[in-house]
Amino acid sequence: MSIKITFPDGSVKEYPQGTTLANIASAISPSLRKKSVAGVVNDELVDLNRPIESDATIRLVTTDDKEAWEVLNHSTAHLLAHAVKRLYPHALFWVGPVVEEGFYYDIDLGADSLSEEDLVDIEKMMNQIVKENIIIERVELTKEEALAQFKGDPYKVDLIENFEEGTKISAYRQGDFIDLCRGPHLESTGQIKAFKLLKVAGAYFKGDANNKMLQRVYGISFFKKEDLDKHLLMLEEAKKRDHRKLGKELGLFMISEYGPGFPFWLPNGMILRRELEQFWYDKHMQEGYQLIQTPIMLNRQLWEVSGHWENYRENMYTSEIDEMEFAIKPMNCPGGMLVYKHTLHSYKDFPLRIGELGLVHRHEASGALTGLFRVRNFTQDDAHIFCREDQVIDEVTNLIRLFDYFYSVFNLSYHIELSTRPEKYIGTIEVWDKAEKALAEACKRGGKEFKVNEGDGAFYGPKLDFKLRDSLGRIWQCGTIQLDMKLPERFDLTYIDADGERKRPVMLHRAIYGSIERFIGILIEHYAGAFPLWIAPRQVDVIPVNPELHSAYAEKVNEILMSNKIRSHVDLRDEKVGYKIRESQVKKVPYSIVLGDKEQEENLVTFRHYGDTKQVTVPLDEFISMLKAEIQNKGK
RNA sequence: GCCGACUUAGCUCAAUCGGUAGAGCAACUGACUUGUAAUCAGUAGGUUACGGGUUCAAUUCCUGUAGUCGGCACCA
């Protein structure tokens, strides 16, 4: 019997029934066979040695493919488990999936725990198993057989019990180690060549904090040693961009032991902040926003009305004033509600856009705090928009354009997630569906792709989240657009419609930077501390060649620059030019200018741009207009 | 909050087996008078995160607390 195999290019060839991808690859060429790791048979990713019993469309997966990398990492996860089992015979294993950054395995070691040092021994054992070049074979079991095979292992039994009766359960065996797995896998442990265990951490069983904590070992694997080295080097490079490191080196911010999670802004960081705020104010004025500032602290009763006292209490700081309980605001909206209610509103004023750079405080878990990314007080670039229901799509479309504008100024790439109705929600399903559709429609109109994040909406409404990455690849939410179906009701907000009736407005919460702190953290890493001119804390370093001869001219140039609102500093210290240039470069100042006899005589400056060794001499006036233009167009 | 690691001068890091802390940079002083990534010399700088314990002796071992880092959970 022969079967017809269709290849990706559409060609069809006959092979004996029961052939394997390995055979097919060999028949084409030995080098293809060597590069092949797995294959896709009728859209299913399978092992190379899985027999093909009937006509099929196939594609070979080679080491160049993303899927092959995943297979490799999956097999490396098994290798890790195998090694751990040898070193810790009592170890029990939960799951070991492939993730973006490699793989991990969750392990129960009973009373034992792993430290980074232990990873070295585990790696050694893994290399030993690689050397033994053990064949990896697929085993198919019925549910009963699987239960018998893994009897005594509560974790595997837990997994097996979740399979439907009658399904084929696969496991993979390498020597004396066997693990449940969908596969596919490499053909033998010897094919794993370049891997590294990266970190060990605790992780709750099934991701639930009420459960036992397992030990999670992270690692990554590549087909080539050089790819692994490249990856490790990249991780090292990424650490140099870490905003916590750069924040210290560049004098941007600090966090004291006396206030964990409460950042202090240092003079240089303050300049970043003020530039971002000014930019934000200017743009929002243009966009027809009105600005307010609401109090940091308000009476408990307000938080009861808003529902925060009930739903957000454990994250709120409280205090007492004149025997009354007050809470420090964790969000700006309730204050905004009071402002709305302060006057009567007409549909003619809609959409009513009210913005606030509001400082909020939240009691975040101690273990969650991370530099500027996760803090206990931060400034949200908040705005609340009140409108009629029929204005929502237009307004959200408008917001998406505005968000895109802000991010594009910084060349930041982002992705959007639409978070939909969670299990705990208020309102009716119809209204939710309508609201979710409105947000999706606005994305479509704005020409933006989005990912649906099922069930992750706030209890009061669905939202669009704008997510950015830090230098280590971690994803942080910055911008957000949230439809609120609760607060207008709780605060009994109304407006007078065209028919003279009082009606309930729809409210949107939105923040573009999200938190100024987090956004600056992202910017520091994005630019690796070398900020574009318009936000650079110091824009120009003025360096006289000989302090005795050129100080007067240097000071004059510095003053002229400063009077042109350019952040300039003159370095009159008794040091060589090279020393001062180095320092200027280390501090990532955009322009270093050197002034000597020639410049002094003809009113010139010789500048070099950060990261560039080229020297350019121009008249002072020209230099100033060049800088002003660069500041004006924000480096675009 | 949970698991693990870490905390030494302003910064980056040393200190053998438990024997009482050292370097570079920065700072300060002086000399040098400088043309594009570190001039030379000197001075000062420490309750080794904080508390308790073991010991003749603790940066080192044990322990409690705080903070930081990596994850998890949380958050968004």
Side-chain angles (χ1 to χ4, degrees):
Chain A
M1 275 281 281
S2 66
I3 53 172
K4 287 198 178 77
I5 297 294
T6 308
F7 289 87
D9 64 0
S11 63
V12 180
K13 274 191 194 164
E14 296 211 349
Y15 289 90
Q17 188 182 27
T19 189
T20 63
L21 291 164
N23 291 337
I24 295 171
S26 298
I28 296 168
S29 83
S31 66
L32 180 64
R33 170 69 183 87
K34 214 176 153 195
K35 269 175 68 181
S36 298
V37 171
V40 176
V41 176
N42 298 332
D43 295 331
E44 189 193 355
L45 189 63
V46 301
D47 298 297
L48 282 179
N49 61 8
R50 171 93 67 97
I52 305 172
E53 302 297 348
S54 55
D55 294 355
T57 301
I58 69 142
R59 175 166 64 86
L60 285 162
V61 172
T62 70
T63 53
D64 303 328
D65 298 317
K66 178 94 200 292
E67 294 138 303
W69 181 83
E70 288 171 6
V71 169
L72 171 68
N73 275 274
H74 208 155
S75 292
T76 311
H78 277 219
L79 174 65
L80 162 67
H82 193 172
V84 169
K85 190 74 188 171
R86 280 194 185 177
L87 292 166
Y88 306 85
H90 59 291
L92 293 173
F93 300 91
W94 172 232
V95 292
V98 173
V99 291
E100 198 175 334
E101 288 286 296
F103 64 89
Y104 67 78
Y105 218 120
D106 282 350
I107 308 165
D108 182 350
L109 285 174
D112 288 329
S113 63
L114 296 176
S115 70
E116 308 252 328
E117 289 165 29
D118 298 319
L119 296 186
V120 177
D121 295 329
I122 297 173
E123 271 183 11
K124 274 185 196 150
M125 184 57 81
M126 288 169 76
N127 279 312
Q128 171 62 33
I129 298 169
V130 166
K131 226 179 262 166
E132 291 169 21
N133 196 15
I134 302 170
I135 300 290
I136 301 171
E137 47 182 347
R138 182 184 173 90
V139 184
E140 291 192 348
L141 306 162
T142 64
K143 191 165 171 179
E144 290 67 34
E145 287 167 342
L147 282 171
Q149 170 78 43
F150 291 99
K151 189 175 61 179
D153 182 336
Y155 295 101
K156 296 302 165 189
V157 167
D158 186 314
L159 287 173
I160 294 164
E161 276 173 349
N162 280 320
F163 280 98
E164 295 222 352
E165 214 57 56
T167 41
K168 229 171 24 180
I169 298 173
S170 61
Y172 280 77
R173 184 194 300 281
Q174 52 195 60
D176 54 357
F177 177 77
I178 182 162
D179 196 3
L180 278 184
C181 187
R182 191 180 297 124
H185 278 277
L186 301 177
E187 296 165 89
S188 74
T189 59
Q191 290 174 293
I192 299 170
K193 294 266 156 53
F195 65 90
K196 178 138 186 72
L197 298 183
L198 296 169
K199 50 199 173 196
V200 54
Y204 296 110
F205 175 55
K206 293 189 179 178
D208 185 338
N210 297 312
N211 288 344
K212 179 173 182 173
M213 187 161 258
L214 306 176
Q215 317 237 4
R216 176 173 294 180
V217 177
Y218 284 90
I220 193 163
S221 190
F222 291 93
F223 286 107
K224 293 187 209 136
K225 170 98 167 42
E226 65 209 69
D227 287 338
L228 174 64
D229 290 343
K230 224 192 292 170
H231 180 78
L232 296 177
L233 190 69
M234 195 200 74
L235 290 179
E236 286 303 308
E237 289 298 313
K239 275 190 203 153
K240 292 184 192 161
R241 302 173 80 101
D242 191 313
H243 76 280
R244 291 164 297 191
K245 181 175 155 69
L246 288 168
K248 194 184 270 182
E249 288 170 1
L250 302 176
L252 303 175
F253 67 93
M254 59 172 252
I255 297 175
S256 160
E257 282 196 21
Y258 290 106
F262 298 109
F264 287 62
W265 287 95
L266 301 176
N268 289 336
M270 204 56 202
I271 289 171
L272 286 178
R273 246 196 106 106
R274 290 189 46 212
E275 287 293 342
L276 291 186
E277 288 174 356
Q278 196 54 52
F279 173 50
W280 189 92
Y281 281 130
D282 290 347
K283 189 66 190 170
H284 282 73
M285 286 288 105
Q286 274 176 32
E287 294 277 324
Y289 280 73
Q290 295 174 282
L291 300 177
I292 59 169
Q293 184 94 66
T294 67
I296 295 286
M297 212 177 190
L298 292 159
N299 193 300
R300 166 180 170 168
Q301 287 167 8
L302 174 77
W303 304 105
E304 287 174 350
V305 173
S306 70
H308 286 86
W309 197 258
E310 194 187 336
N311 291 304
Y312 209 68
R313 174 84 184 82
E314 65 279 13
N315 283 299
M316 290 162 69
Y317 300 110
T318 55
S319 187
E320 207 172 85
I321 301 175
D322 293 341
E323 288 163 37
M324 279 183 292
E325 205 162 2
F326 276 68
I328 298 176
K329 64 177 177 182
M331 297 183 195
N332 300 302
C333 20
M337 298 295 100
L338 297 184
V339 172
Y340 182 91
K341 278 178 81 75
H342 182 245
T343 50
L344 204 57
H345 294 280
S346 155
Y347 74 98
K348 290 179 182 171
D349 303 326
F350 282 3
L352 180 63
R353 307 182 180 101
I354 300 184
E356 168 174 20
L357 291 180
L359 177 63
V360 298
H361 291 68
R362 299 181 182 176
H363 179 240
E364 302 290 354
S366 57
L369 303 177
T370 301
L372 293 178
F373 287 154
R374 194 75 184 273
V375 288
R376 284 179 171 156
N377 79 352
F378 54 99
T379 302
Q380 290 184 310
D381 63 318
D382 222 337
H384 296 101
I385 299 171
F386 304 90
C387 62
R388 290 194 319 235
E389 203 181 304
D390 63 309
Q391 293 175 311
V392 168
I393 294 182
D394 279 346
E395 186 58 17
V396 175
T397 309
N398 188 36
L399 283 173
I400 290 172
R401 173 194 55 76
L402 182 62
F403 278 49
D404 197 58
Y405 167 74
F406 268 90
Y407 295 150
S408 72
V409 163
F410 302 100
N411 269 318
L412 289 168
S413 51
Y414 63 92
H415 74 269
I416 303 178
E417 289 180 17
L418 168 61
S419 293
T420 60
R421 180 164 43 83
E423 276 178 40
K424 256 181 71 180
Y425 66 97
I426 55 111
T428 65
I429 290 189
E430 294 77 65
V431 174
W432 270 88
D433 287 349
K434 212 151 97 181
E436 287 167 13
K437 277 208 190 89
L439 292 180
E441 174 63 22
C443 282
K444 231 166 88 187
R445 284 200 201 167
K448 294 289 164 192
E449 304 251 322
F450 62 89
K451 188 180 117 189
V452 176
N453 207 345
E454 212 68 63
D456 209 32
F459 71 96
Y460 50 76
K463 54 187 186 148
L464 291 175
D465 289 332
F466 291 68
K467 310 242 177 178
L468 273 56
R469 269 175 196 271
D470 70 16
S471 66
L472 292 171
R474 294 180 291 204
I475 292 172
W476 298 94
Q477 184 196 308
C478 288
T480 185
I481 301 174
Q482 310 186 353
L483 253 165
D484 194 322
M485 313 197 286
K486 181 98 173 175
L487 281 189
E489 188 188 309
R490 279 187 168 255
F491 281 89
D492 191 27
L493 303 189
T494 58
Y495 68 96
I496 311 295
D497 206 354
D499 57 10
E501 297 288 318
R502 275 179 185 264
K503 290 185 185 162
R504 184 83 70 218
V506 173
M507 186 175 90
L508 292 167
H509 307 251
R510 46 114 284 188
I512 304 175
Y513 296 141
S515 108
I516 292 186
E517 286 73 7
R518 179 177 287 183
F519 195 78
I520 289 177
I522 293 277
L523 286 185
I524 293 168
E525 303 198 352
H526 175 65
Y527 292 118
F531 300 105
L533 191 64
W534 72 285
I535 53 171
R538 183 186 294 173
Q539 296 169 316
V540 178
D541 265 328
V542 181
I543 300 169
V545 171
N546 182 331
E548 278 184 13
L549 304 175
H550 311 118
S551 279
Y553 180 59
E555 284 187 286
K556 188 182 117 198
V557 167
N558 184 51
E559 274 165 31
I560 293 171
L561 288 170
M562 288 201 293
S563 69
N564 278 279
K565 294 191 175 163
I566 290 165
R567 293 184 288 269
S568 170
H569 174 261
V570 58
D571 189 346
L572 298 177
R573 291 176 304 172
D574 225 359
E575 296 288 352
K576 288 186 165 180
V577 171
Y579 179 89
K580 296 181 188 178
I581 285 285
R582 177 175 191 279
E583 191 163 289
S584 184
Q585 295 284 310
V586 166
K587 296 290 180 192
K588 303 174 195 268
V589 176
Y591 289 95
S592 310
I593 68 178
V594 174
L595 307 177
D597 289 341
K598 186 177 61 175
E599 289 81 5
Q600 184 163 287
E601 278 156 27
E602 300 174 48
N603 223 30
L604 304 171
V605 302
T606 297
F607 71 84
R608 65 184 260 183
H609 195 264
Y610 171 74
D612 191 355
T613 53
K614 196 174 64 185
Q615 296 172 38
V616 184
T617 304
V618 292
L620 177 58
D621 292 349
E622 199 177 302
F623 181 67
I624 292 171
S625 28
M626 184 184 89
L627 260 54
K628 280 183 156 177
E630 189 178 337
I631 290 166
Q632 180 64 34
N633 64 28
K634 303 192 161 43
K636 284 276 166 187

